[in-house]
């Protein structure tokens, strides 16, 4: 199947004036800051003091009890200064990024997050790899509430008969959302899991070996069709072949097969090449009325560059 498919972002932090526009993924919003110097303070409430917040919005500010701990609240701008002057690392970096998110996104889109707090209605179910270089939220611009996501080694989907696992339970759970109309399995270049699968080495740990056995058929197909190519090229073909294998495995789940047959759910493959920053996309064409391999085909193949 791989032969059908393959032919031979820094954020700005600055001190805000009393009323400065802030671009967000949702709209251009205005936030008003009482103290433009954003002084460090000790308080029961952490976060920014924002002029004009009503009582319900204040409920979104994080609070800590003095009985449990005495937290010194710091702002994004101050942490940036500390970072430049002294150097920061580890969890402190994540703290700054969280405060940045809260300042530039959460507070200025509070209505959206209030709605998300009540329920979720994701549009997509994304299955991607754990690889740190492959972040579907980043590369596809997915916003909070848009995507139900599971990530595992080599972005594999076991067949239904495989039994309970994090991924199989995620598939079943995702099928309960009527809002999800598209499932996307995303493979990627230079995948360590696929490399280990193709090497088929006894050096793999027991858990890794057991998990990668899910994609054994993709390795066999790749070796049969492209065994004459270099190992690197074989891995590239297998990275895509394993995506197709996962798409077919999705159809072994009765809840998924039923929705696909009814035409209310579509299964897509994706391949993110982070070497040249391209994204290949295709859709599984399932024809249940046919027999054997003729049931499956692919359509809408395109490359986004």
């Amino acid at each position: 199947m791989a032969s059908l498919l393959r032919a031979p972002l820094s954020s700005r932090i600055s001190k805000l004036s009393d009323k400065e526009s802030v671009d967000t993924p949702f709209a251009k919003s205005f936030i008003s800051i009482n103290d433009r110097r954003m002084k460090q303070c000790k308080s029961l409430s952490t976060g920014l003091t924002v002029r004009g917040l009503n009582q319900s919005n204040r409920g979104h500010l994080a609070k800590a009890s003095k009985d449990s701990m005495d937290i010194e609240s710091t702002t994004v701008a101050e942490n940036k200064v500390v970072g430049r002057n002294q150097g920061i690392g580890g969890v402190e970096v994540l703290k700054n990024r969280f405060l940045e998110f809260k300042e530039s996104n959460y507070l200025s889109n509070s209505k959206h997050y209030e709605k998300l707090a009540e329920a979720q209605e994701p549009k997509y179910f994304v299955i991607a790899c754990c690889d740190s270089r492959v972040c579907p939220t980043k590369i596809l611009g997915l916003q909070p509430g848009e995507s139900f996501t599971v990530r595992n080694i080599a972005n594999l989907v076991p067949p239904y008969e495989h039994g309970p696992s994090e991924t199989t339970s995620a598939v079943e759970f995702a099928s309960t959302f009527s809002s999800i109309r598209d499932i996307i399995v995303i493979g990627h270049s230079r995948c360590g899991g696929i490399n280990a699968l193709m090497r088929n080495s006894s050096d793999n740990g027991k858990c890794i070996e057991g998990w990668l056995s899910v994609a054994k058929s993709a390795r066999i197909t790749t070796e049969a069709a492209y065994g004459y190519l270099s190992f690197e090229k074989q891995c590239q073909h297998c990275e895509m072949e394993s995506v197709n294998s996962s798409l077919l495995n999705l159809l072994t789940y009765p809840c998924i097969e039923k929705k696909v047959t009814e035409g209310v759910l579509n299964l897509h493959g994706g391949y993110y090449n982070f070497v040249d920053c391209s994204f290949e996309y295709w859709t599984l064409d399932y024809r249940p009325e046919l027999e054997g391999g003729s049931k499956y085909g692919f359509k809408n193949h395109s490359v986004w560059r």
Side-chain angles (χ1 to χ4, degrees):
M1 285 181 280
S3 60
L4 294 173
L5 302 171
R6 177 167 290 280
L9 321 139
S10 85
S11 58
R12 174 182 67 86
I13 296 295
S14 61
K15 292 184 178 179
L16 299 175
S17 62
D18 284 341
K19 195 168 187 181
E20 179 181 339
S21 64
V22 177
D23 289 318
T24 74
F26 306 97
K28 176 170 286 190
S29 304
F30 289 91
I31 36 182
S32 300
I33 311 297
N34 282 332
D35 184 357
R36 68 170 66 173
R37 290 175 299 168
M38 296 189 290
K39 291 181 179 179
Q40 207 172 41
C41 62
K42 288 187 177 182
S43 173
L44 292 180
S45 297
T46 64
L48 297 174
T49 302
V50 183
R51 181 184 303 145
L53 281 182
N54 58 32
Q55 191 62 39
S56 63
N57 283 340
R58 287 196 184 100
H60 287 279
L61 298 177
K63 295 184 178 180
S65 171
K66 277 187 175 179
D67 296 334
S68 59
M69 62 179 67
D70 188 16
I71 297 177
E72 189 172 70
S73 174
T74 58
T75 65
V76 181
E78 288 168 330
N79 277 299
K80 283 282 186 178
V81 172
V82 172
R84 286 195 297 267
N85 294 338
Q86 300 177 7
I88 60 174
V91 177
E92 192 70 16
V93 173
L94 302 182
K95 173 185 175 181
N96 288 341
R97 291 175 183 174
F98 170 74
L99 291 174
E100 176 187 346
F101 157 75
K102 184 173 182 178
E103 176 185 317
S104 64
N105 191 310
Y106 184 89
L107 291 176
S108 55
N109 295 284
S110 58
K111 292 297 182 183
H112 175 73
Y113 286 101
E114 285 175 13
K115 183 178 179 180
L116 288 182
E118 298 300 322
Q120 60 171 324
E121 294 183 348
K123 299 177 182 178
Y124 312 101
F125 176 29
V126 175
I127 302 167
C129 186
C130 292
D131 194 301
S132 63
R133 299 165 292 183
V134 182
C135 180
T137 299
K138 195 73 171 179
I139 64 177
L140 296 178
L142 297 168
Q143 301 300 321
E146 272 195 313
S147 172
F148 188 77
T149 305
V150 62
R151 298 179 68 174
N152 60 48
I153 299 296
N155 45 266
L156 303 180
V157 178
Y160 182 71
E161 296 77 14
H162 185 268
S165 71
E166 292 85 348
T167 302
T168 55
S169 60
V171 171
E172 284 199 332
F173 193 80
S175 70
T176 66
F177 290 106
S178 60
S179 57
I180 292 180
R181 302 297 300 269
D182 299 281
I183 299 179
I184 308 171
V185 181
I186 302 175
H188 67 94
S189 57
R190 299 181 179 178
C191 179
I194 296 300
N195 185 288
L197 171 70
M198 290 299 295
R199 291 190 184 281
N200 196 26
S201 172
S202 59
D203 293 337
N204 294 330
K206 183 178 180 181
C207 293
I208 295 175
E209 184 177 357
W211 176 249
L212 292 179
S213 65
V214 170
K216 182 179 178 180
S217 62
R219 187 193 77 230
I220 294 173
T221 299
T222 298
E223 290 174 338
Y226 304 104
Y228 61 92
L229 297 177
S230 67
F231 180 75
E232 181 180 1
K233 291 293 185 182
Q234 289 184 55
C235 285
Q236 290 176 357
H237 283 286
C238 192
E239 286 161 357
M240 299 189 74
E241 187 62 41
S242 67
V243 171
N244 292 332
S245 176
S246 288
L247 292 176
L248 295 183
N249 283 344
L250 280 170
L251 287 173
T252 67
Y253 293 75
C255 53
I256 299 297
E257 197 271 345
K258 181 176 184 292
K259 286 192 170 186
V260 172
T261 300
E262 293 173 348
V264 298
L265 181 65
N266 299 298
L267 306 183
H268 311 278
Y271 182 80
Y272 172 49
N273 188 331
F274 50 67
V275 177
D276 63 6
C277 194
S278 63
F279 192 94
E280 294 194 42
Y281 157 86
W282 61 96
T283 301
L284 177 68
D285 186 15
Y286 179 51
R287 301 178 288 266
E289 70 278 3
L290 301 180
E291 297 293 330
S294 298
K295 284 185 176 184
Y296 314 107
F298 299 97
K299 60 184 180 181
N300 304 330
H301 179 232
S302 61
V303 181
W304 308 338
R305 297 188 186 279

